[in-house]
Amino acid sequence: QVQLVQSGAEVKKPGASVKVSCKASGYTFTVYHMYWVRQAPGQGLEFLGWINPNSGGTDYAQKFQDRVTMTRDTSISTAYMELSRLRSDDTAVYYCAREVGINAFDFWGQGTMITVSS
Amino acid sequence: DIQLTQSPSFLSASVGDRVTITCRASQGISNCLAWYQQNPGKAPKLLIYAASTLQNGVPSRFSGSGSGTEFTLTISSLQPEDFAAYYCQQLFNYPRTFGQGTKVEIK
């Protein structure tokens, strides 16, 4: 069965960087784009960007262009999202999700809580 | 970026009620719209894609309609497990924006 398993919660200081992993199983990792979405406490869903696991090509939301980097390691079917120069308003749950040909995000990771605090 | 506006933001209803949530897009998106349900502390769950197609395993009391700029999600008879937040998402172009969400609460 399809699973996306994310790395655990982290606490970071302002100005630091964080790298979240998303390990895929149950399907061919390189076939579907992987997206990253975040949700601040009590807030809605915010799109960060996506990576094409086959080519490594990426596209980031303009808001995060200069701070986010998405990569992948096809040998272990894992996608990564690194966010730099963290601020307190980056405190959120970060999700990976795959988009399939039906034009929807059909499977999501369990989420990774990132807390930015001095 | 395409903006999605959901209404209402909060909805108070009882078990058995018929509930309708609207999602309006700032420009035409054909039928490239999905609906998700999110329970507290959980990841969103896909309910409907292509505006009106029910995802496998989703109860038939959920339905979606619309095309272009106006879409609706309807729950025909609200069940206790349906009290949650609901989000629409457009997949017409990038970035894949979401509506601000609708929280369905118990009356």
Side-chain angles (χ1 to χ4, degrees), chain A residues 33 35 37 39 43-47 50 59 95 99 102-106 108-109, chain B residues 32 34 36 38 41-44 46 49-50 55 87 89 91 94-96 98 100:
Chain A
H33 290 188
Y35 287 73
V37 175
Q39 186 171 39
Q43 302 301 307
L45 300 167
E46 184 174 30
F47 173 87
W50 57 266
D59 188 27
Y95 293 101
E99 179 176 334
I102 57 172
N103 273 13
F105 291 6
D106 67 338
W108 295 64
Chain B
C32 299
Y36 301 88
Q38 188 180 33
K42 300 292 187 182
L46 176 64
Y49 60 92
Q55 173 68 337
Y87 294 90
Q89 180 199 26
L91 298 103
Y94 297 100
R96 304 293 205 222
F98 293 89
Q100 82 280 13

Side-chain angles (χ1 to χ4, degrees), chain A:
Chain A
Q1 71 283 19
V2 174
Q3 280 192 300
L4 300 176
V5 179
Q6 298 183 222
S7 49
E10 300 206 47
V11 179
K12 294 290 186 180
K13 293 196 181 302
S17 296
V18 68
K19 191 171 186 176
V20 180
S21 68
C22 171
K23 183 170 177 59
S25 61
Y27 73 101
T28 302
F29 176 64
T30 52
V31 171
Y32 302 115
H33 290 188
M34 192 72 77
Y35 287 73
W36 291 89
V37 175
R38 76 178 187 181
Q39 186 171 39
Q43 302 301 307
L45 300 167
E46 184 174 30
F47 173 87
L48 276 73
W50 57 266
I51 183 167
N52 178 337
N54 185 43
S55 66
T58 56
D59 188 27
Y60 306 140
Q62 191 163 9
K63 176 179 177 179
F64 302 102
Q65 282 279 350
D66 61 342
R67 294 201 296 137
V68 73
T69 304
M70 296 177 187
T71 56
R72 91 291 190 217
D73 184 339
T74 56
S75 69
I76 55 172
S77 300
T78 299
Y80 301 93
M81 187 284 302
E82 184 171 21
L83 190 62
S84 62
R85 304 196 302 278
L86 290 168
R87 308 186 291 251
S88 58
D89 61 357
D90 290 319
T91 294
V93 177
Y94 289 74
Y95 293 101
C96 61
R98 77 169 193 176
E99 179 176 334
V100 291
I102 57 172
N103 273 13
F105 291 6
D106 67 338
F107 280 94
W108 295 64
Q110 83 277 17
T112 297
M113 182 70 209
I114 303 299
T115 303
V116 183
S117 174
S118 54

Side-chain angles (χ1 to χ4, degrees), chain B residues 10 15 18 20 25 27 32 34 36 39 44 47 50 52 55-57 60 63 66 69 72 75-76 97 104-105 107:
Chain B
F10 295 92
V15 173
R18 181 182 180 88
T20 297
Q27 66 185 74
C32 299
Y36 301 88
N39 286 296
L47 297 176
S52 61
Q55 173 68 337
N56 289 341
S60 58
S63 64
T69 60
T72 59
I75 310 172
S76 60
T97 46
V104 178
E105 300 175 325
K107 185 183 285 186

Side-chain angles (χ1 to χ4, degrees), chain B residues 18-100:
Chain B
R18 181 182 180 88
V19 163
T20 297
I21 299 168
T22 298
C23 178
R24 288 187 174 87
S26 58
Q27 66 185 74
I29 59 171
S30 186
N31 70 336
C32 299
L33 189 101
W35 289 96
Y36 301 88
Q37 176 192 64
Q38 188 180 33
N39 286 296
K42 300 292 187 182
K45 171 189 171 185
L46 176 64
L47 297 176
I48 287 169
Y49 60 92
S52 61
T53 303
L54 208 61
Q55 173 68 337
N56 289 341
V58 174
S60 58
R61 62 181 180 273
F62 291 93
S63 64
S65 65
S67 183
T69 60
E70 187 152 337
F71 302 86
T72 59
L73 171 69
T74 299
I75 310 172
S76 60
S77 177
L78 205 60
Q79 297 302 299
E81 59 269 30
D82 300 337
F83 292 95
Y86 294 84
Y87 294 90
C88 59
Q89 180 199 26
Q90 66 81 20
L91 298 103
F92 183 75
N93 64 12
Y94 297 100
R96 304 293 205 222
T97 46
F98 293 89
Q100 82 280 13

